[in-house]
Amino acid sequence: MAGRLEGKVAILTGSAGTLGAGTAKLLAGEGARLVLNDIAPRVYELADEIMAAGGEAVAHVGDVGKEDDVGAMVALAMDRYGRLDGLWNNAGPVSNDFVFKDSHILDMSLDYFVETFRGHVGAAFLCSKTAIPAMIRSGSGSIVNTSSSAAFAGDIVLHAYSVAKMGMITLAQSIATAYGPDNIRCNAVAPGLVPGRSSGVMAEAAIKVVQDSQMLARAGEPIDIGNAVLFMLSDESRWFTGQVMAVDGGLTGHQPTLATRRGMSGGGMQEGG
């Protein structure tokens, strides 16, 4: 039985992280031939692991914020596999040292704000701009941008990050609108809290606050996000474009008083007619 991505070629940026690596293994298991990009050389180990398991993958170490590196990444996909069907824009500046600076607006420099936006939206723009002509030559394509549950509402921190992640959604909609006639689809996935990805900069108590506000009690896992990306890159979503899929355990799908009401005696206010 053929996999859901059999015969398709996809570029995955930010592949060396927990979320990226888990999704790469899932996509390879579904038959995708992958170009795995990251700025960290450990992406070579991931490619070797996928190959050893019977999949097809080649590593590319490069900065997706640099035009020459992105051009080389897309060229690698075309030279190695002869086509390009998918792109997952998953890279961005998420190291602890960088994210800790994203605190209060009054303490934030314009340079930091712009660098955050450039690192997420600018990189996705550059990768998409370079990949779309190759997808058009291949006959079709699907692009997925990684947004975040932080995009949907304000918070007391992560101001630059949340603005950038909303930009990932608008960029997806813009690409979907402009290149739909070329059979190019573009969507966004908005993960919630996935330990190993976003929890590295959060104290245990802060993680509990997030989980207490989810509809589902358990933490997210990389496979939860990977399954959404798999759907978006597959032909199962061939009439699905310009959309954002929140994969967050129900964090953003309820009234903001949920956690407080759960803690009230008897489960909160009684609904009346």
Side-chain angles (χ1 to χ4, degrees):
M1 179 178 177
R4 295 161 68 187
L5 297 178
E6 196 69 36
K8 293 188 181 296
V9 176
I11 294 172
L12 312 183
T13 70
S15 295
T18 301
L19 186 59
T23 300
K25 293 174 186 177
L26 174 66
L27 302 185
E30 291 290 343
R33 295 173 289 173
L34 302 175
V35 174
L36 305 175
N37 161 269
D38 205 282
I39 201 168
R42 62 179 177 274
V43 72
Y44 286 112
E45 299 174 12
L46 175 62
D48 290 342
E49 186 177 346
I50 288 174
M51 294 286 284
E56 289 193 53
V58 59
H60 174 266
V61 173
D63 185 343
V64 290
K66 296 181 178 178
E67 197 158 359
D68 288 347
D69 285 5
V70 173
M73 178 180 71
V74 174
L76 176 60
M78 297 301 287
D79 292 344
R80 174 65 73 94
Y81 300 121
R83 61 180 300 111
L84 181 60
D85 305 282
L87 167 66
W88 183 26
N89 286 315
N90 182 56
V94 293
S95 69
N96 286 2
D97 290 343
F98 188 85
V99 177
F100 271 134
K101 299 176 184 177
D102 197 347
S103 55
H104 303 290
I105 288 178
L106 298 183
D107 299 326
M108 188 184 304
S109 70
L110 177 60
D111 287 344
Y112 177 84
F113 186 90
V114 171
E115 184 61 26
T116 301
F117 193 87
R118 179 181 177 86
H120 292 282
V121 186
F125 158 78
L126 188 56
C127 290
S128 299
K129 174 185 176 181
T130 309
I132 286 171
M135 291 180 172
I136 292 174
R137 292 197 297 273
S138 300
S140 65
S142 177
I143 299 171
V144 182
N145 290 350
T146 299
S147 180
S148 168
S149 59
F152 302 128
D155 203 342
I156 58 175
V157 293
L158 296 179
H159 304 302
Y161 178 81
S162 61
V163 170
K165 287 303 188 180
M166 178 53 79
M168 296 291 276
I169 295 173
T170 310
L171 177 63
Q173 294 169 333
S174 297
I175 292 171
T177 303
Y179 295 98
D182 296 300
N183 206 22
I184 305 297
R185 299 183 294 109
C186 191
N187 297 286
V189 59
L193 178 62
V194 179
R197 172 179 175 266
S198 52
S199 60
V201 297
M202 298 175 68
E204 185 175 342
I207 294 174
K208 185 178 185 304
V209 168
V210 174
Q211 288 189 278
D212 285 348
S213 297
Q214 294 174 178
M215 295 177 186
L216 303 178
R218 73 169 178 87
E221 300 175 6
I223 190 68
D224 297 318
I225 314 306
N227 281 327
V229 175
L230 170 60
F231 168 72
M232 291 178 180
L233 292 178
S234 76
D235 290 338
E236 296 166 15
S237 61
R238 63 185 185 180
W239 215 44
F240 185 91
T241 193
Q243 305 300 312
V244 54
M245 182 184 293
V247 188
D248 60 6
L251 179 66
T252 56
H254 58 71
Q255 295 292 337
T257 55
L258 173 66
T260 301
R261 292 177 62 188
R262 277 177 170 170
M264 295 172 65
S265 177
M269 295 180 287
Q270 181 178 350
E271 301 295 338

Short mmCIF file of all heavy atoms in Angstrom, two decimals, residues 11 13 86-90 124 128 135 142-147 168 172 185-189 228-234:
data_model
loop_
_atom_site.label_atom_id
_atom_site.label_comp_id
_atom_site.label_asym_id
_atom_site.label_seq_id
_atom_site.Cartn_x
_atom_site.Cartn_y
_atom_site.Cartn_z
N ILE A 11 10.38 20.09 1.04
CA ILE A 11 11.43 20.74 1.82
C ILE A 11 10.85 21.05 3.20
O ILE A 11 9.76 21.63 3.31
CB ILE A 11 11.89 22.04 1.15
CG1 ILE A 11 12.59 21.75 -0.17
CG2 ILE A 11 12.82 22.83 2.07
CD1 ILE A 11 12.92 23.00 -0.98
N THR A 13 11.91 23.07 6.61
CA THR A 13 12.88 23.93 7.29
C THR A 13 12.73 23.76 8.80
O THR A 13 11.68 23.36 9.30
CB THR A 13 12.71 25.41 6.90
OG1 THR A 13 11.49 25.92 7.45
CG2 THR A 13 12.68 25.57 5.38
N GLY A 86 6.16 20.15 -2.03
CA GLY A 86 5.76 20.68 -0.73
C GLY A 86 6.85 21.47 -0.06
O GLY A 86 8.04 21.25 -0.28
N LEU A 87 6.44 22.40 0.79
CA LEU A 87 7.36 23.20 1.60
C LEU A 87 6.71 23.44 2.96
O LEU A 87 5.56 23.90 3.04
CB LEU A 87 7.63 24.54 0.92
CG LEU A 87 8.31 25.63 1.77
CD1 LEU A 87 9.73 25.22 2.14
CD2 LEU A 87 8.30 26.98 1.03
N TRP A 88 7.43 23.09 4.01
CA TRP A 88 6.98 23.41 5.36
C TRP A 88 7.88 24.49 5.92
O TRP A 88 9.05 24.25 6.21
CB TRP A 88 7.02 22.17 6.25
CG TRP A 88 6.50 22.39 7.64
CD1 TRP A 88 5.60 23.34 8.04
CD2 TRP A 88 6.85 21.65 8.82
NE1 TRP A 88 5.36 23.24 9.39
CE2 TRP A 88 6.11 22.21 9.90
CE3 TRP A 88 7.71 20.58 9.07
CZ2 TRP A 88 6.22 21.73 11.20
CZ3 TRP A 88 7.81 20.10 10.36
CH2 TRP A 88 7.07 20.67 11.41
N ASN A 89 7.35 25.70 6.07
CA ASN A 89 8.09 26.82 6.64
C ASN A 89 8.01 26.74 8.17
O ASN A 89 7.12 27.31 8.80
CB ASN A 89 7.50 28.15 6.14
CG ASN A 89 7.86 28.44 4.70
OD1 ASN A 89 9.00 28.27 4.29
ND2 ASN A 89 6.87 28.86 3.93
N ASN A 90 8.97 26.05 8.75
CA ASN A 90 8.95 25.76 10.18
C ASN A 90 10.12 26.38 10.94
O ASN A 90 10.17 26.30 12.16
CB ASN A 90 8.94 24.24 10.39
CG ASN A 90 8.86 23.84 11.83
OD1 ASN A 90 7.94 24.23 12.53
ND2 ASN A 90 9.83 23.05 12.29
N ALA A 124 9.98 32.69 5.90
CA ALA A 124 8.91 31.99 5.19
C ALA A 124 8.63 32.65 3.84
O ALA A 124 8.38 31.96 2.84
CB ALA A 124 7.65 31.98 6.05
N SER A 128 9.24 30.66 0.36
CA SER A 128 8.08 30.50 -0.53
C SER A 128 8.36 31.13 -1.89
O SER A 128 8.06 30.54 -2.93
CB SER A 128 6.85 31.14 0.11
OG SER A 128 6.54 30.53 1.34
N MET A 135 7.59 24.72 -7.88
CA MET A 135 6.31 24.02 -7.75
C MET A 135 5.47 24.19 -9.00
O MET A 135 4.81 23.25 -9.45
CB MET A 135 5.56 24.54 -6.52
CG MET A 135 6.19 24.15 -5.20
SD MET A 135 5.23 24.81 -3.81
CE MET A 135 6.07 24.02 -2.43
N SER A 142 2.12 22.49 -2.35
CA SER A 142 1.46 22.81 -1.09
C SER A 142 2.50 23.38 -0.13
O SER A 142 3.53 22.76 0.11
CB SER A 142 0.81 21.56 -0.48
OG SER A 142 0.24 21.87 0.78
N ILE A 143 2.20 24.56 0.41
CA ILE A 143 3.07 25.23 1.37
C ILE A 143 2.36 25.29 2.71
O ILE A 143 1.16 25.59 2.77
CB ILE A 143 3.44 26.65 0.90
CG1 ILE A 143 4.18 26.59 -0.45
CG2 ILE A 143 4.28 27.38 1.94
CD1 ILE A 143 4.40 27.95 -1.09
N VAL A 144 3.08 24.98 3.78
CA VAL A 144 2.52 25.05 5.12
C VAL A 144 3.41 25.97 5.96
O VAL A 144 4.61 25.76 6.04
CB VAL A 144 2.46 23.65 5.78
CG1 VAL A 144 1.83 23.75 7.16
CG2 VAL A 144 1.69 22.67 4.90
N ASN A 145 2.80 26.98 6.58
CA ASN A 145 3.52 27.88 7.48
C ASN A 145 3.22 27.51 8.92
O ASN A 145 2.07 27.28 9.28
CB ASN A 145 3.09 29.33 7.25
CG ASN A 145 3.56 29.90 5.93
OD1 ASN A 145 4.37 29.30 5.23
ND2 ASN A 145 3.04 31.06 5.57
N THR A 146 4.25 27.48 9.76
CA THR A 146 4.03 27.24 11.18
C THR A 146 3.73 28.55 11.88
O THR A 146 4.58 29.43 11.98
CB THR A 146 5.25 26.58 11.83
OG1 THR A 146 5.49 25.31 11.21
CG2 THR A 146 5.01 26.34 13.32
N SER A 147 2.51 28.68 12.35
CA SER A 147 2.11 29.81 13.17
C SER A 147 2.17 29.37 14.63
O SER A 147 3.03 28.60 15.01
CB SER A 147 0.70 30.28 12.77
OG SER A 147 0.29 31.38 13.55
N MET A 168 2.52 34.92 9.82
CA MET A 168 2.63 33.65 9.10
C MET A 168 1.27 33.22 8.53
O MET A 168 1.20 32.61 7.45
CB MET A 168 3.16 32.57 10.02
CG MET A 168 4.58 32.81 10.52
SD MET A 168 5.83 32.67 9.23
CE MET A 168 6.11 30.89 9.23
N ALA A 172 0.33 33.12 4.48
CA ALA A 172 -0.26 31.91 3.87
C ALA A 172 -1.48 32.26 3.05
O ALA A 172 -1.66 31.77 1.93
CB ALA A 172 -0.61 30.90 4.96
N ARG A 185 -1.26 25.60 -3.25
CA ARG A 185 -2.04 25.80 -2.03
C ARG A 185 -1.10 26.28 -0.91
O ARG A 185 0.08 25.94 -0.92
CB ARG A 185 -2.71 24.49 -1.59
CG ARG A 185 -3.69 23.95 -2.62
CD ARG A 185 -4.40 22.70 -2.14
NE ARG A 185 -3.50 21.57 -1.97
CZ ARG A 185 -3.13 21.04 -0.81
NH1 ARG A 185 -3.55 21.58 0.33
NH2 ARG A 185 -2.33 19.99 -0.76
N CYS A 186 -1.65 27.05 0.02
CA CYS A 186 -0.85 27.48 1.16
C CYS A 186 -1.75 27.61 2.37
O CYS A 186 -2.82 28.23 2.30
CB CYS A 186 -0.15 28.81 0.87
SG CYS A 186 1.09 29.25 2.11
N ASN A 187 -1.34 26.99 3.47
CA ASN A 187 -2.10 27.00 4.71
C ASN A 187 -1.16 27.21 5.88
O ASN A 187 0.07 27.24 5.71
CB ASN A 187 -2.84 25.66 4.88
CG ASN A 187 -3.87 25.42 3.79
OD1 ASN A 187 -4.93 26.03 3.78
ND2 ASN A 187 -3.55 24.52 2.86
N ALA A 188 -1.73 27.36 7.06
CA ALA A 188 -0.92 27.50 8.27
C ALA A 188 -1.40 26.53 9.33
O ALA A 188 -2.59 26.22 9.41
CB ALA A 188 -1.01 28.93 8.80
N VAL A 189 -0.48 26.04 10.12
CA VAL A 189 -0.79 25.23 11.28
C VAL A 189 -0.36 26.03 12.51
O VAL A 189 0.71 26.63 12.51
CB VAL A 189 -0.09 23.85 11.22
CG1 VAL A 189 1.42 23.99 11.13
CG2 VAL A 189 -0.49 22.99 12.40
N ALA A 228 -1.06 17.06 11.26
CA ALA A 228 -1.68 18.19 10.57
C ALA A 228 -0.88 18.58 9.34
O ALA A 228 -1.44 18.85 8.27
CB ALA A 228 -1.81 19.38 11.52
N VAL A 229 0.45 18.62 9.47
CA VAL A 229 1.31 18.95 8.34
C VAL A 229 1.18 17.88 7.25
O VAL A 229 1.11 18.20 6.05
CB VAL A 229 2.77 19.10 8.79
CG1 VAL A 229 3.69 19.33 7.60
CG2 VAL A 229 2.91 20.25 9.79
N LEU A 230 1.12 16.63 7.65
CA LEU A 230 0.94 15.53 6.69
C LEU A 230 -0.33 15.73 5.88
O LEU A 230 -0.34 15.59 4.65
CB LEU A 230 0.91 14.20 7.44
CG LEU A 230 0.48 12.96 6.65
CD1 LEU A 230 1.41 12.71 5.48
CD2 LEU A 230 0.44 11.73 7.58
N PHE A 231 -1.42 16.03 6.56
CA PHE A 231 -2.69 16.26 5.86
C PHE A 231 -2.57 17.41 4.86
O PHE A 231 -3.00 17.31 3.71
CB PHE A 231 -3.79 16.57 6.88
CG PHE A 231 -5.06 17.11 6.27
CD1 PHE A 231 -5.90 16.29 5.55
CD2 PHE A 231 -5.40 18.45 6.43
CE1 PHE A 231 -7.08 16.79 4.98
CE2 PHE A 231 -6.57 18.96 5.87
CZ PHE A 231 -7.41 18.12 5.15
N MET A 232 -1.94 18.50 5.28
CA MET A 232 -1.85 19.68 4.43
C MET A 232 -0.97 19.45 3.20
O MET A 232 -1.19 20.05 2.15
CB MET A 232 -1.35 20.87 5.23
CG MET A 232 -2.34 21.38 6.26
SD MET A 232 -1.64 22.76 7.21
CE MET A 232 -3.02 23.12 8.32
N LEU A 233 0.05 18.61 3.35
CA LEU A 233 0.94 18.33 2.22
C LEU A 233 0.40 17.23 1.30
O LEU A 233 0.88 17.09 0.17
CB LEU A 233 2.33 17.93 2.73
CG LEU A 233 3.14 19.03 3.42
CD1 LEU A 233 4.48 18.46 3.90
CD2 LEU A 233 3.38 20.22 2.50
N SER A 234 -0.56 16.48 1.76
CA SER A 234 -1.09 15.36 0.98
C SER A 234 -2.22 15.80 0.06
O SER A 234 -2.78 16.90 0.20
CB SER A 234 -1.60 14.25 1.91
OG SER A 234 -2.84 14.61 2.48
#
